[in-house]
Amino acid sequence: MNNIATQRIKREFKEVIKSEELAKCSIKVDLVGDSYTELKGEIAGPPDTPYEGGKFFLEIKVPETYPFNPPKVRFMTKIWHPNISSVTGAICLDILKDQWAAAMTLRTVLLSLQALMAAAEPDDPQDAVVAKQYKEYPEIFAKTASYWTNVYAGGPNKNTDFDSKIQRLKDMGIESDQARGALSTFNWDLERATEQLFS
Amino acid sequence: MASYFDELHVDEDEVPTVRVERLTRETFRMLFDHDPIRYGDMVNYQSSPPASKSEIEKLITPLFDELLGEQCRICLCQYQVNDKALTMPCKHIFHEDCLKTWLEKSNFCPLCKFELKTDNKMYELYKEELKKRQARENNIAQLHDLMFS
Ligand SMILES: [Zn+2]
Ligand SMILES: [Zn+2]
């Protein structure tokens, strides 16, 4: 297939994506197979955030109408963030919707996502549960996000207290992702998480 | 019947199109006062409206010197001899085909977001009102500064 979208992505690969500057920002884009319509992005968690030390993978789908329409981007790595769905990885970011402009590139998108990870916008949430926790219990939010980074993205911060609560639910036959989701949702209140899981 | 119109302050001589425009504006103001952010979303969200055809017609062709060694930032290709290009009012240049495809979808410059006029009345009214409100807020802020600094 040799349409505008493919040509554009090929050029981006040649001129923008392989540059050293991207390596410095710890951002990467790779091809998936040999079509230029499906790509895999990678973002390092920004320093001084709960995502530091984690590696986050993105699914990038390039529509035939690119660059006149934005790429479709989703987190494949599970992440706890107000503007990203903790279940599906769907992202709420204006440039992926109505604020897209044809001169933007995949580099723009990845840098914007890295900025979003560093500065959430809880008033325009994708995940209402996470956004509520972010606003009402910022410390629990930071711990939870850091824990998810450890479990799903290879981040350094273990949390044995959270681990043992998850183990308690696993002992009751709950699958671990589901247990982690419920406990994160209820601010690590084991009783309320259990109640919800068995109701 | 006259009293009915009197009560509603309707001017019977008002041309229908003018009336529609006035009512649209009034409805819009009510919505704006009620929930400005949500109204902005309603107008903007689907994607910004296309640029008006007459505005696109007005765009000028750049000199070849301006294209020399430059790259169209939509397709990322260098300009070749005989390539057709257009200059936006903000002075940003793109291939004619690239820019027209974009402006059929969105009314702003892909590089700096400079806006061309659209044929979408609601959108234009919204922009107008937004500008007025910002000016008013600036005036109030300045007045406040004058009085208390
Ligand atoms: Zn072009
Ligand atoms: Zn411009």
Side-chain angles (χ1 to χ4, degrees):
Chain A
M1 212 166 52
N2 237 6
N3 58 19
I4 308 175
T6 310
Q7 292 300 333
R8 172 59 140 70
I9 294 288
K10 279 184 184 166
R11 286 190 180 276
E12 285 190 42
F13 262 91
K14 245 210 251 143
E15 293 170 25
V16 203
I17 292 169
K18 292 301 170 200
S19 69
E20 263 179 46
E21 183 224 14
L22 278 204
K24 255 186 244 156
C25 302
S26 318
I27 280 171
K28 231 171 94 180
V29 183
D30 286 314
L31 294 172
V32 176
D34 44 22
S35 85
Y36 280 79
T37 54
E38 224 178 299
L39 308 165
K40 191 166 143 189
E42 190 185 319
I43 306 178
D48 303 317
T49 69
Y51 312 106
E52 181 168 15
K55 220 189 233 181
F56 297 85
F57 291 99
L58 303 160
E59 175 189 88
I60 304 171
K61 288 189 172 160
V62 181
E64 256 176 65
T65 48
Y66 184 80
F68 301 104
N69 284 300
K72 293 192 169 58
V73 186
R74 182 181 75 82
F75 272 80
M76 294 195 302
T77 306
K78 280 173 91 61
I79 179 169
W80 191 253
H81 185 289
N83 304 106
I84 303 159
S85 164
S86 58
V87 182
T88 63
I91 302 162
C92 179
L93 180 65
D94 56 359
I95 65 156
L96 293 176
K97 297 175 188 161
D98 57 318
Q99 290 302 307
W100 172 256
M104 290 177 176
T105 62
L106 294 177
R107 168 183 174 276
T108 326
V109 170
L110 294 198
L111 288 176
S112 303
L113 284 174
Q114 206 171 34
L116 184 69
M117 286 166 84
E121 288 171 29
D123 292 323
D124 189 16
Q126 176 76 39
D127 196 309
V129 171
V130 184
K132 192 164 180 283
Q133 186 184 71
Y134 180 94
K135 284 195 197 172
E136 290 175 7
Y137 307 99
E139 272 173 37
I140 295 180
F141 164 80
K143 274 190 193 165
T144 308
S146 173
Y147 180 62
W148 279 51
T149 303
N150 170 246
V151 173
Y152 297 113
N157 301 322
K158 292 196 189 312
N159 189 321
T160 48
D161 176 36
F162 288 176
D163 277 338
S164 64
K165 282 181 176 168
I166 288 170
Q167 190 55 49
R168 293 272 296 278
L169 288 177
K170 279 168 81 177
D171 293 343
M172 292 184 249
I174 303 289
E175 189 254 331
S176 68
D177 275 355
Q178 205 187 354
R180 193 170 294 108
L183 282 162
S184 300
T185 298
F186 290 103
N187 303 323
W188 299 91
D189 183 330
L190 189 57
E191 223 169 275
R192 288 184 60 207
T194 313
E195 210 173 275
Q196 194 255 348
L197 284 166
F198 289 97
S199 69
Chain B
M1 213 51 194
S3 64
Y4 171 78
F5 284 121
D6 281 349
E7 245 172 68
L8 290 172
H9 310 289
V10 173
D11 173 7
E12 280 177 88
D13 297 329
E14 195 176 23
V15 186
T17 51
V18 174
R19 182 176 297 163
V20 168
E21 200 168 306
R22 180 178 56 78
L23 289 173
T24 306
R25 194 184 295 263
E26 280 169 12
T27 311
F28 160 73
R29 287 215 172 117
M30 265 162 53
L31 280 166
F32 202 105
D33 285 331
H34 179 67
D35 191 350
I37 294 171
R38 213 174 126 244
Y39 187 71
D41 284 351
M42 248 160 68
V43 177
N44 284 322
Y45 191 73
Q46 298 305 327
S47 82
S48 49
S52 150
K53 288 229 158 56
S54 61
E55 291 278 306
I56 299 175
E57 296 300 313
K58 276 192 254 167
L59 298 178
I60 51 163
T61 307
L63 301 170
F64 185 71
D65 279 2
E66 295 178 74
L67 302 181
L68 217 63
E70 297 290 329
Q71 170 199 52
C72 165
R73 294 286 297 275
I74 294 178
C75 65
L76 302 181
C77 297
Q78 289 242 331
Y79 295 109
Q80 308 291 319
V81 190
N82 296 332
D83 274 6
K84 282 191 179 168
L86 287 176
T87 307
M88 287 280 286
C90 54
K91 303 285 177 240
H92 285 124
I93 300 171
F94 306 92
H95 278 126
E96 182 176 333
D97 286 349
C98 292
L99 186 61
K100 280 187 170 168
T101 309
W102 171 251
L103 292 177
E104 272 165 27
K105 190 186 152 283
S106 300
N107 70 321
F108 56 86
C109 168
L111 270 176
C112 70
K113 301 237 159 142
F114 175 90
E115 291 196 55
L116 293 182
K117 281 227 159 31
T118 72
D119 292 326
N120 183 322
K121 225 167 228 165
M122 285 296 271
Y123 184 76
E124 292 301 318
L125 283 171
Y126 168 72
K127 301 280 298 176
E128 214 176 278
E129 188 70 5
L130 198 65
K131 227 186 263 168
K132 269 191 225 153
R133 280 179 194 247
Q134 273 161 358
R136 213 173 303 150
E137 271 165 33
N138 284 345
N139 284 344
I140 292 170
Q142 273 173 11
L143 202 63
H144 185 273
D145 286 350
L146 272 174
M147 286 193 288
F148 295 101
S149 65

